[in-house]
Amino acid sequence: MNPPVETLQQTIKVEDDRTGLSLETLKRAIADNLFYIQGKYPAIATKNDFYMALAYTVRDRLLQRWLNTTETYLKSKVKVVCYLSAEFLMGPHLSNNLVNLGIYDQVRRAVEESGLDFVELREQEEEPGLGNGGLGRLAACYMDSLASLEIPAIGYGIRYEFGIFDQEIRDGWQIEITDKWLRYGNPWEIERPEASIDVKFGGYTQAYNDENGHYRVRWIPDIIVKGVPYDTPILGYKVNTANTLRLWKAEAPESFEFEAFNVGDYYGAVNEKVVAENITKVLYPNDEPIQGKQLRLQQQYFFVSCSLQDMIRLHLHRQDSLDNFHESFAVQLNDTHPAIGVAELMRLLVDEHQIDWDRAWQITQNTFAYTNHTLLPEALEKWPLSLFGRLLPRHLQIIYEINQRFLGQVRAKYPDDHQRIARLSLIDESGEKYIRMAHLASVGSHAINGVAALHTKLLQQDVLRDFYELWPEKFTNKTNGVTPRRWIVVSNPKLAELINRKIGTNWIKHLEELKQLEAFVEDAEFRQQWRQIKQDIKRDLAEYVKKNHAIDINPQSLFDVQVKRIHEYKRQHLNALYIITLYNQIKQNPNIDVVPRTFIFGGKAAPGYFMAKLIIKLINSVAQVVNNDPDVRERLKVVFLPDYNVRFGQRVYPAADLSEQISTAGKEASGTGNMKFSMNGALTIGTLDGANIEIREEVGAENFFLFGLTTPEVYALKAKGYNPWDYYHANSQLKTVIDLISSGFFSHGDTNLFRPLVDSLLYHDQYMLFADYQSYVDCQEQVNQAYRDEEKWTRMSILNAVRMGKFSSDRAIREYCQEIWNAQPVNVEMQEYVQPKPDMGKEAQSVAAQASQAWLGAKT
Ligand code: F58
């Protein structure tokens, strides 16, 4: 006979299926989600169905923290950091969430005990590739650190339907394939249609006097687009803080459709919808700004307007007046893509909330701070004034007004310095008129920063020199950092495990503690373990390459890796010249004793960037020749691995022996791949550029392979006149390499294929490859010598990794908090979610409802 129900309730504590962590509960939760969310039973479920069931199981375990965090922020007046970025390159969420929740092993077991293959399910996840490269990935690392440091933060961006394209290689050329990442659904986001926001475009403005006789302007737009937020929880590492990444999708407002339907314009109505939805369709895949593309400006204004209106809504829920908006929010502009926010906040404060101009300007300047990510002058964003005025007529007026007042200040300080005034103006009037977005960002912000020490110095001396002379106090350096959670714990669990055994786990949140491992450098057993891990990971990569690309690589060889966007300034082709040099040496002297090397490349080229695509073709063509030549077999291998992305980064950084960071000095703002490699024990061959300089300072010059011109030397050579032919004629090894490419040796006799590349190197190479060629080749020889001495190499590898404390994004975020944002950590208490009881008091119900409405967007 069954025991009475009351007895059962007294004796058995039932674990909640959505929060419980026992193996039995996890297994049941996965099975339940498969049934109730995917609507499948195991016999008919696809791998993706199982992945989704697993992802929902993990998301359930995040929700308690996420909602507690949101509630904590809403109830208090804590300052919230808003990171405005057109790109967030998050990478796969599953493993990261499992690590941050501290339940990786447990969930893995539950999956395996359910008869499923954990790794296979993990690989099902489509990575959200909502960014191009370093800038978007930095935003993702910063979101992880903000949450891990318990700083209230919201990441605001765009929910592109198609992220960065998938890359295929056909016949050595890059082919772009649409990234349909949302095809099978995204279990990590929650749509919040009730929190939608209207954004205006086009039309005209009208001046009027309000009821108090004050002069005002209203904006009558052509079209209105609806921004719908999609929220993703960003959980910190082993804390209760789960911040929000709020990405906006553009939709047509229903009312507009109805209007058109009413007058019978069916096509017009549908077209309106298409136009609106186009705004967030696709990420621009360029690594330099595209001048003059209307859709790009629409994207920028769309997400910035949605985000600022959202902040104002949240602010007015917590406070009565907008007068202290800047105490509620610190808004960081991730490059100039969101810089239109300066004019938009002024518009919202002055036009829509009737704050007087001077006060609005103080609030605006105190709210914004601007990070610059590039030194290439051609990469500074500017918008044709005509296009700008057509799309955002009110903002153009506001920018004129800001400019007039700003230039008034400049004139007061530098009377009659007309050139300086023209240089500083927000409007470039040298030819066709343009709005200079970096100037708008600089004028509208209280802080301006570069992303590595050299970069900040060059900003001050060069790109933003006039602003630096005007406001030196606004400038600070914030050297980039990367999150050790994703870039060590998730991607290199074996290394993390070894470190944990030696010094515990504190280093995961305090990376400088890795220094304690220096004590083990002279411990032969530790070195052996270190080497073994690298070896195992290299073997895994070799298997992966064999399985996916049918290429054999030797796991004993030196893994020499260059993965990053393909760009002339990053000089992947310098690396290719070295490969050809080595190849020639072996061909000339087949018995030469070389260190076996595998050259691994990965990276996407902007679809319209011909020279970058030709560099990919060159690498693949060299690979074909080298890999099929029996004379060099077992000594040289070249592989270009297609579709480099976050997931592949996680696989390749831990497997690298050598990290190629070989940009022309003064061109790479910082680099962050350089940090990920070094943290995983790769040695760097690099120039004195970006964060390489600081990495070398930290790991010690003796543990870094330095070559090439310095920035002052590059400038001096440019000033003097760089003549590539001098190097070509003086260096027979270099000449042989170039002549071999020109001869058609790598292109089946076609002497035209690589001509544009060779011509650019010989006639107008801004990046001065030939000037650095010999120094690079010599330095690579030092690498070979060092690699021959296994113990020496291991010592260098260990010292590289354990001295990387400075390059944790936690350090970077702490600096932003203290020196720019004035933001403090906030403790989030864990409260168990309790099912609302039928007898819940009216008062309690209404308090709960108010809080949720503010967040969800009910108008206050
Ligand atoms: C990168 N910029 C820098 N831009 O090149 C790199 O040195 C730095 O480490 C990184 O930012 C983070 O600070 C970068 O990735 C882009 O991808 C933009 C995308 C949108 C168009 C303009 C370039």
Side-chain angles (χ1 to χ4, degrees), residues 693-730:
I693 298 173
E694 291 157 78
I695 292 176
R696 181 166 170 268
E697 273 166 20
E698 292 293 309
V699 305
E702 67 285 7
N703 299 308
F704 188 104
F705 298 101
L706 179 70
F707 77 96
L709 298 177
T710 62
T711 305
E713 286 166 352
V714 167
Y715 285 7
L717 184 53
K718 194 152 275 175
K720 174 179 140 236
Y722 165 64
N723 185 2
W725 288 99
D726 295 345
Y727 301 88
Y728 173 84
H729 289 304

mmCIF file of all heavy atoms in Angstrom, residues 693-730:
data_model
loop_
_atom_site.group_PDB
_atom_site.id
_atom_site.type_symbol
_atom_site.label_atom_id
_atom_site.label_comp_id
_atom_site.label_asym_id
_atom_site.label_seq_id
_atom_site.Cartn_x
_atom_site.Cartn_y
_atom_site.Cartn_z
ATOM 1 N N ILE A 693 54.509 45.380 -26.972
ATOM 2 C CA ILE A 693 55.537 46.081 -26.194
ATOM 3 C C ILE A 693 55.361 45.782 -24.709
ATOM 4 O O ILE A 693 56.323 45.455 -24.006
ATOM 5 C CB ILE A 693 55.427 47.599 -26.449
ATOM 6 C CG1 ILE A 693 55.673 47.887 -27.929
ATOM 7 C CG2 ILE A 693 56.362 48.387 -25.543
ATOM 8 C CD1 ILE A 693 55.432 49.339 -28.328
ATOM 9 N N GLU A 694 54.102 45.860 -24.267
ATOM 10 C CA GLU A 694 53.850 45.626 -22.837
ATOM 11 C C GLU A 694 53.970 44.142 -22.480
ATOM 12 O O GLU A 694 54.397 43.801 -21.378
ATOM 13 C CB GLU A 694 52.474 46.178 -22.466
ATOM 14 C CG GLU A 694 52.451 47.702 -22.519
ATOM 15 C CD GLU A 694 51.060 48.285 -22.700
ATOM 16 O OE1 GLU A 694 50.311 48.337 -21.709
ATOM 17 O OE2 GLU A 694 50.727 48.676 -23.839
ATOM 18 N N ILE A 695 53.623 43.277 -23.421
ATOM 19 C CA ILE A 695 53.779 41.836 -23.171
ATOM 20 C C ILE A 695 55.267 41.534 -22.974
ATOM 21 O O ILE A 695 55.665 40.844 -22.022
ATOM 22 C CB ILE A 695 53.189 41.007 -24.342
ATOM 23 C CG1 ILE A 695 51.665 41.160 -24.385
ATOM 24 C CG2 ILE A 695 53.587 39.534 -24.218
ATOM 25 C CD1 ILE A 695 50.988 40.459 -25.558
ATOM 26 N N ARG A 696 56.071 42.111 -23.847
ATOM 27 C CA ARG A 696 57.520 41.877 -23.751
ATOM 28 C C ARG A 696 58.064 42.409 -22.423
ATOM 29 O O ARG A 696 58.876 41.755 -21.769
ATOM 30 C CB ARG A 696 58.214 42.543 -24.935
ATOM 31 C CG ARG A 696 59.719 42.360 -24.959
ATOM 32 C CD ARG A 696 60.256 42.762 -26.326
ATOM 33 N NE ARG A 696 61.705 42.839 -26.352
ATOM 34 C CZ ARG A 696 62.396 43.951 -26.114
ATOM 35 N NH1 ARG A 696 61.768 45.075 -25.813
ATOM 36 N NH2 ARG A 696 63.723 43.939 -26.188
ATOM 37 N N GLU A 697 57.570 43.567 -22.015
ATOM 38 C CA GLU A 697 58.002 44.116 -20.714
ATOM 39 C C GLU A 697 57.670 43.148 -19.586
ATOM 40 O O GLU A 697 58.457 42.944 -18.676
ATOM 41 C CB GLU A 697 57.280 45.436 -20.430
ATOM 42 C CG GLU A 697 57.973 46.654 -21.007
ATOM 43 C CD GLU A 697 57.064 47.888 -20.998
ATOM 44 O OE1 GLU A 697 56.065 47.926 -20.227
ATOM 45 O OE2 GLU A 697 57.348 48.794 -21.790
ATOM 46 N N GLU A 698 56.500 42.554 -19.675
ATOM 47 C CA GLU A 698 56.058 41.681 -18.579
ATOM 48 C C GLU A 698 56.783 40.337 -18.582
ATOM 49 O O GLU A 698 57.187 39.853 -17.533
ATOM 50 C CB GLU A 698 54.541 41.435 -18.664
ATOM 51 C CG GLU A 698 53.694 42.661 -18.383
ATOM 52 C CD GLU A 698 53.789 43.156 -16.948
ATOM 53 O OE1 GLU A 698 53.610 42.347 -16.016
ATOM 54 O OE2 GLU A 698 54.054 44.362 -16.767
ATOM 55 N N VAL A 699 56.919 39.740 -19.784
ATOM 56 C CA VAL A 699 57.486 38.378 -19.793
ATOM 57 C C VAL A 699 59.015 38.407 -19.810
ATOM 58 O O VAL A 699 59.658 37.393 -19.554
ATOM 59 C CB VAL A 699 56.963 37.517 -20.984
ATOM 60 C CG1 VAL A 699 55.430 37.467 -20.980
ATOM 61 C CG2 VAL A 699 57.489 38.005 -22.321
ATOM 62 N N GLY A 700 59.569 39.567 -20.086
ATOM 63 C CA GLY A 700 61.029 39.689 -20.133
ATOM 64 C C GLY A 700 61.529 39.609 -21.560
ATOM 65 O O GLY A 700 61.110 38.722 -22.328
ATOM 66 N N ALA A 701 62.441 40.507 -21.913
ATOM 67 C CA ALA A 701 62.949 40.575 -23.288
ATOM 68 C C ALA A 701 63.569 39.252 -23.708
ATOM 69 O O ALA A 701 63.506 38.864 -24.876
ATOM 70 C CB ALA A 701 63.973 41.704 -23.400
ATOM 71 N N GLU A 702 64.128 38.522 -22.723
ATOM 72 C CA GLU A 702 64.809 37.260 -23.053
ATOM 73 C C GLU A 702 63.809 36.151 -23.413
ATOM 74 O O GLU A 702 64.207 35.100 -23.910
ATOM 75 C CB GLU A 702 65.734 36.845 -21.892
ATOM 76 C CG GLU A 702 65.050 36.458 -20.578
ATOM 77 C CD GLU A 702 64.488 37.639 -19.763
ATOM 78 O OE1 GLU A 702 64.485 38.789 -20.246
ATOM 79 O OE2 GLU A 702 64.014 37.393 -18.634
ATOM 80 N N ASN A 703 62.529 36.395 -23.169
ATOM 81 C CA ASN A 703 61.509 35.386 -23.480
ATOM 82 C C ASN A 703 60.603 35.805 -24.628
ATOM 83 O O ASN A 703 59.449 35.371 -24.716
ATOM 84 C CB ASN A 703 60.664 35.103 -22.237
ATOM 85 C CG ASN A 703 61.498 34.551 -21.109
ATOM 86 O OD1 ASN A 703 62.234 33.588 -21.294
ATOM 87 N ND2 ASN A 703 61.442 35.186 -19.947
ATOM 88 N N PHE A 704 61.107 36.671 -25.468
ATOM 89 C CA PHE A 704 60.288 37.254 -26.547
ATOM 90 C C PHE A 704 61.177 37.412 -27.770
ATOM 91 O O PHE A 704 62.308 37.866 -27.652
ATOM 92 C CB PHE A 704 59.801 38.631 -26.055
ATOM 93 C CG PHE A 704 58.788 39.310 -26.950
ATOM 94 C CD1 PHE A 704 57.443 39.344 -26.596
ATOM 95 C CD2 PHE A 704 59.181 39.948 -28.119
ATOM 96 C CE1 PHE A 704 56.509 39.994 -27.400
ATOM 97 C CE2 PHE A 704 58.257 40.593 -28.935
ATOM 98 C CZ PHE A 704 56.920 40.618 -28.568
ATOM 99 N N PHE A 705 60.691 37.034 -28.926
ATOM 100 C CA PHE A 705 61.490 37.154 -30.149
ATOM 101 C C PHE A 705 61.136 38.449 -30.863
ATOM 102 O O PHE A 705 60.103 38.553 -31.526
ATOM 103 C CB PHE A 705 61.264 35.949 -31.062
ATOM 104 C CG PHE A 705 61.697 34.655 -30.420
ATOM 105 C CD1 PHE A 705 60.766 33.795 -29.859
ATOM 106 C CD2 PHE A 705 63.043 34.318 -30.349
ATOM 107 C CE1 PHE A 705 61.158 32.608 -29.260
ATOM 108 C CE2 PHE A 705 63.449 33.138 -29.749
ATOM 109 C CZ PHE A 705 62.501 32.275 -29.198
ATOM 110 N N LEU A 706 62.021 39.417 -30.714
ATOM 111 C CA LEU A 706 61.760 40.762 -31.231
ATOM 112 C C LEU A 706 62.471 40.986 -32.552
ATOM 113 O O LEU A 706 63.623 40.578 -32.716
ATOM 114 C CB LEU A 706 62.268 41.783 -30.211
ATOM 115 C CG LEU A 706 62.101 43.246 -30.596
ATOM 116 C CD1 LEU A 706 60.630 43.621 -30.561
ATOM 117 C CD2 LEU A 706 62.903 44.142 -29.656
ATOM 118 N N PHE A 707 61.777 41.617 -33.466
ATOM 119 C CA PHE A 707 62.438 41.996 -34.729
ATOM 120 C C PHE A 707 61.790 43.273 -35.252
ATOM 121 O O PHE A 707 60.760 43.727 -34.747
ATOM 122 C CB PHE A 707 62.299 40.871 -35.771
ATOM 123 C CG PHE A 707 60.933 40.818 -36.400
ATOM 124 C CD1 PHE A 707 60.681 41.436 -37.622
ATOM 125 C CD2 PHE A 707 59.873 40.194 -35.749
ATOM 126 C CE1 PHE A 707 59.407 41.421 -38.182
ATOM 127 C CE2 PHE A 707 58.608 40.178 -36.303
ATOM 128 C CZ PHE A 707 58.375 40.791 -37.528
ATOM 129 N N GLY A 708 62.414 43.832 -36.272
ATOM 130 C CA GLY A 708 61.756 44.873 -37.056
ATOM 131 C C GLY A 708 61.996 46.296 -36.604
ATOM 132 O O GLY A 708 62.545 46.556 -35.535
ATOM 133 N N LEU A 709 61.542 47.205 -37.464
ATOM 134 C CA LEU A 709 61.685 48.636 -37.192
ATOM 135 C C LEU A 709 60.794 49.040 -36.029
ATOM 136 O O LEU A 709 59.729 48.459 -35.825
ATOM 137 C CB LEU A 709 61.259 49.438 -38.431
ATOM 138 C CG LEU A 709 62.056 49.226 -39.722
ATOM 139 C CD1 LEU A 709 61.439 50.055 -40.848
ATOM 140 C CD2 LEU A 709 63.517 49.609 -39.516
ATOM 141 N N THR A 710 61.213 50.054 -35.316
ATOM 142 C CA THR A 710 60.353 50.658 -34.289
ATOM 143 C C THR A 710 59.467 51.699 -34.972
ATOM 144 O O THR A 710 59.713 52.077 -36.121
ATOM 145 C CB THR A 710 61.202 51.377 -33.238
ATOM 146 O OG1 THR A 710 61.917 52.422 -33.903
ATOM 147 C CG2 THR A 710 62.184 50.426 -32.578
ATOM 148 N N THR A 711 58.480 52.191 -34.240
ATOM 149 C CA THR A 711 57.589 53.195 -34.829
ATOM 150 C C THR A 711 58.358 54.443 -35.283
ATOM 151 O O THR A 711 58.164 54.893 -36.421
ATOM 152 C CB THR A 711 56.459 53.547 -33.844
ATOM 153 O OG1 THR A 711 55.806 52.340 -33.473
ATOM 154 C CG2 THR A 711 55.458 54.493 -34.471
ATOM 155 N N PRO A 712 59.234 55.004 -34.453
ATOM 156 C CA PRO A 712 59.980 56.176 -34.942
ATOM 157 C C PRO A 712 60.794 55.848 -36.190
ATOM 158 O O PRO A 712 60.906 56.681 -37.099
ATOM 159 C CB PRO A 712 60.899 56.537 -33.772
ATOM 160 C CG PRO A 712 60.302 55.890 -32.578
ATOM 161 C CD PRO A 712 59.525 54.710 -33.044
ATOM 162 N N GLU A 713 61.329 54.634 -36.240
ATOM 163 C CA GLU A 713 62.102 54.252 -37.435
ATOM 164 C C GLU A 713 61.203 54.142 -38.674
ATOM 165 O O GLU A 713 61.606 54.518 -39.772
ATOM 166 C CB GLU A 713 62.845 52.926 -37.195
ATOM 167 C CG GLU A 713 64.046 53.095 -36.269
ATOM 168 C CD GLU A 713 64.606 51.775 -35.722
ATOM 169 O OE1 GLU A 713 63.977 50.707 -35.935
ATOM 170 O OE2 GLU A 713 65.649 51.828 -35.056
ATOM 171 N N VAL A 714 60.001 53.626 -38.462
ATOM 172 C CA VAL A 714 59.056 53.546 -39.585
ATOM 173 C C VAL A 714 58.741 54.952 -40.088
ATOM 174 O O VAL A 714 58.776 55.224 -41.291
ATOM 175 C CB VAL A 714 57.751 52.819 -39.146
ATOM 176 C CG1 VAL A 714 56.640 52.995 -40.188
ATOM 177 C CG2 VAL A 714 58.020 51.337 -38.910
ATOM 178 N N TYR A 715 58.465 55.858 -39.152
ATOM 179 C CA TYR A 715 58.142 57.239 -39.534
ATOM 180 C C TYR A 715 59.320 57.877 -40.268
ATOM 181 O O TYR A 715 59.149 58.551 -41.284
ATOM 182 C CB TYR A 715 57.798 58.089 -38.296
ATOM 183 C CG TYR A 715 56.430 57.814 -37.697
ATOM 184 C CD1 TYR A 715 55.615 56.767 -38.149
ATOM 185 C CD2 TYR A 715 55.937 58.603 -36.663
ATOM 186 C CE1 TYR A 715 54.371 56.529 -37.579
ATOM 187 C CE2 TYR A 715 54.681 58.375 -36.088
ATOM 188 C CZ TYR A 715 53.915 57.328 -36.556
ATOM 189 O OH TYR A 715 52.684 57.096 -35.995
ATOM 190 N N ALA A 716 60.523 57.644 -39.725
ATOM 191 C CA ALA A 716 61.714 58.272 -40.318
ATOM 192 C C ALA A 716 61.944 57.746 -41.729
ATOM 193 O O ALA A 716 62.247 58.509 -42.652
ATOM 194 C CB ALA A 716 62.933 58.011 -39.436
ATOM 195 N N LEU A 717 61.764 56.441 -41.878
ATOM 196 C CA LEU A 717 61.987 55.845 -43.198
ATOM 197 C C LEU A 717 60.967 56.381 -44.204
ATOM 198 O O LEU A 717 61.293 56.653 -45.362
ATOM 199 C CB LEU A 717 61.906 54.316 -43.084
ATOM 200 C CG LEU A 717 62.196 53.506 -44.344
ATOM 201 C CD1 LEU A 717 63.531 53.879 -44.957
ATOM 202 C CD2 LEU A 717 62.168 52.006 -44.034
ATOM 203 N N LYS A 718 59.741 56.531 -43.717
ATOM 204 C CA LYS A 718 58.693 57.067 -44.591
ATOM 205 C C LYS A 718 59.065 58.495 -45.009
ATOM 206 O O LYS A 718 58.970 58.871 -46.176
ATOM 207 C CB LYS A 718 57.354 57.057 -43.851
ATOM 208 C CG LYS A 718 56.174 57.262 -44.754
ATOM 209 C CD LYS A 718 54.905 56.614 -44.205
ATOM 210 C CE LYS A 718 54.817 55.139 -44.595
ATOM 211 N NZ LYS A 718 53.692 54.444 -43.997
ATOM 212 N N ALA A 719 59.533 59.262 -44.046
ATOM 213 C CA ALA A 719 59.867 60.668 -44.319
ATOM 214 C C ALA A 719 61.023 60.750 -45.322
ATOM 215 O O ALA A 719 61.040 61.582 -46.222
ATOM 216 C CB ALA A 719 60.229 61.374 -43.017
ATOM 217 N N LYS A 720 61.967 59.854 -45.147
ATOM 218 C CA LYS A 720 63.153 59.863 -45.999
ATOM 219 C C LYS A 720 62.815 59.333 -47.399
ATOM 220 O O LYS A 720 63.447 59.710 -48.397
ATOM 221 C CB LYS A 720 64.206 58.975 -45.316
ATOM 222 C CG LYS A 720 65.472 58.741 -46.104
ATOM 223 C CD LYS A 720 66.436 57.873 -45.285
ATOM 224 C CE LYS A 720 67.081 56.887 -46.224
ATOM 225 N NZ LYS A 720 66.990 55.516 -45.962
ATOM 226 N N GLY A 721 61.814 58.497 -47.454
ATOM 227 C CA GLY A 721 61.440 57.865 -48.728
ATOM 228 C C GLY A 721 61.847 56.397 -48.691
ATOM 229 O O GLY A 721 63.031 56.069 -48.760
ATOM 230 N N TYR A 722 60.845 55.531 -48.534
ATOM 231 C CA TYR A 722 61.098 54.090 -48.475
ATOM 232 C C TYR A 722 61.173 53.550 -49.898
ATOM 233 O O TYR A 722 60.212 53.692 -50.663
ATOM 234 C CB TYR A 722 59.966 53.414 -47.686
ATOM 235 C CG TYR A 722 59.882 51.907 -47.836
ATOM 236 C CD1 TYR A 722 60.921 51.087 -47.394
ATOM 237 C CD2 TYR A 722 58.754 51.302 -48.400
ATOM 238 C CE1 TYR A 722 60.831 49.702 -47.524
ATOM 239 C CE2 TYR A 722 58.659 49.924 -48.524
ATOM 240 C CZ TYR A 722 59.705 49.130 -48.091
ATOM 241 O OH TYR A 722 59.619 47.773 -48.222
ATOM 242 N N ASN A 723 62.302 52.953 -50.234
ATOM 243 C CA ASN A 723 62.424 52.404 -51.586
ATOM 244 C C ASN A 723 62.632 50.887 -51.540
ATOM 245 O O ASN A 723 63.737 50.409 -51.288
ATOM 246 C CB ASN A 723 63.590 53.066 -52.315
ATOM 247 C CG ASN A 723 63.653 52.584 -53.767
ATOM 248 O OD1 ASN A 723 62.804 51.795 -54.207
ATOM 249 N ND2 ASN A 723 64.650 53.045 -54.495
ATOM 250 N N PRO A 724 61.561 50.132 -51.790
ATOM 251 C CA PRO A 724 61.644 48.672 -51.676
ATOM 252 C C PRO A 724 62.730 48.077 -52.579
ATOM 253 O O PRO A 724 63.338 47.057 -52.240
ATOM 254 C CB PRO A 724 60.265 48.197 -52.128
ATOM 255 C CG PRO A 724 59.369 49.379 -52.085
ATOM 256 C CD PRO A 724 60.216 50.596 -52.199
ATOM 257 N N TRP A 725 62.993 48.717 -53.708
ATOM 258 C CA TRP A 725 63.972 48.165 -54.654
ATOM 259 C C TRP A 725 65.358 48.076 -54.033
ATOM 260 O O TRP A 725 66.135 47.168 -54.354
ATOM 261 C CB TRP A 725 64.032 49.021 -55.925
ATOM 262 C CG TRP A 725 62.801 48.851 -56.766
ATOM 263 C CD1 TRP A 725 61.727 49.678 -56.825
ATOM 264 C CD2 TRP A 725 62.520 47.759 -57.646
ATOM 265 N NE1 TRP A 725 60.783 49.184 -57.698
ATOM 266 C CE2 TRP A 725 61.242 48.001 -58.220
ATOM 267 C CE3 TRP A 725 63.205 46.590 -58.010
ATOM 268 C CZ2 TRP A 725 60.653 47.131 -59.129
ATOM 269 C CZ3 TRP A 725 62.608 45.731 -58.926
ATOM 270 C CH2 TRP A 725 61.344 45.998 -59.472
ATOM 271 N N ASP A 726 65.685 49.011 -53.137
ATOM 272 C CA ASP A 726 67.000 48.958 -52.479
ATOM 273 C C ASP A 726 67.173 47.621 -51.768
ATOM 274 O O ASP A 726 68.223 46.997 -51.842
ATOM 275 C CB ASP A 726 67.140 50.083 -51.444
ATOM 276 C CG ASP A 726 67.128 51.457 -52.103
ATOM 277 O OD1 ASP A 726 67.297 51.509 -53.343
ATOM 278 O OD2 ASP A 726 66.926 52.458 -51.379
ATOM 279 N N TYR A 727 66.123 47.209 -51.078
ATOM 280 C CA TYR A 727 66.201 45.950 -50.321
ATOM 281 C C TYR A 727 66.236 44.762 -51.285
ATOM 282 O O TYR A 727 66.967 43.806 -51.091
ATOM 283 C CB TYR A 727 65.006 45.816 -49.365
ATOM 284 C CG TYR A 727 64.932 46.940 -48.371
ATOM 285 C CD1 TYR A 727 64.249 48.125 -48.655
ATOM 286 C CD2 TYR A 727 65.568 46.839 -47.132
ATOM 287 C CE1 TYR A 727 64.187 49.155 -47.757
ATOM 288 C CE2 TYR A 727 65.509 47.873 -46.217
ATOM 289 C CZ TYR A 727 64.809 49.033 -46.538
ATOM 290 O OH TYR A 727 64.765 50.050 -45.632
ATOM 291 N N TYR A 728 65.435 44.863 -52.302
ATOM 292 C CA TYR A 728 65.341 43.787 -53.290
ATOM 293 C C TYR A 728 66.712 43.526 -53.931
ATOM 294 O O TYR A 728 67.165 42.390 -54.033
ATOM 295 C CB TYR A 728 64.294 44.194 -54.341
ATOM 296 C CG TYR A 728 64.177 43.286 -55.541
ATOM 297 C CD1 TYR A 728 63.381 42.140 -55.494
ATOM 298 C CD2 TYR A 728 64.842 43.585 -56.738
ATOM 299 C CE1 TYR A 728 63.259 41.319 -56.608
ATOM 300 C CE2 TYR A 728 64.720 42.767 -57.849
ATOM 301 C CZ TYR A 728 63.923 41.634 -57.780
ATOM 302 O OH TYR A 728 63.793 40.819 -58.867
ATOM 303 N N HIS A 729 67.374 44.612 -54.313
ATOM 304 C CA HIS A 729 68.675 44.442 -54.978
ATOM 305 C C HIS A 729 69.767 44.035 -54.004
ATOM 306 O O HIS A 729 70.682 43.291 -54.359
ATOM 307 C CB HIS A 729 69.072 45.732 -55.710
ATOM 308 C CG HIS A 729 68.232 45.978 -56.931
ATOM 309 N ND1 HIS A 729 68.112 45.067 -57.965
ATOM 310 C CD2 HIS A 729 67.440 47.027 -57.276
ATOM 311 C CE1 HIS A 729 67.277 45.536 -58.884
ATOM 312 N NE2 HIS A 729 66.855 46.731 -58.485
ATOM 313 N N ALA A 730 69.644 44.497 -52.776
ATOM 314 C CA ALA A 730 70.729 44.241 -51.822
ATOM 315 C C ALA A 730 70.646 42.856 -51.179
ATOM 316 O O ALA A 730 71.626 42.365 -50.628
ATOM 317 C CB ALA A 730 70.719 45.319 -50.733
#
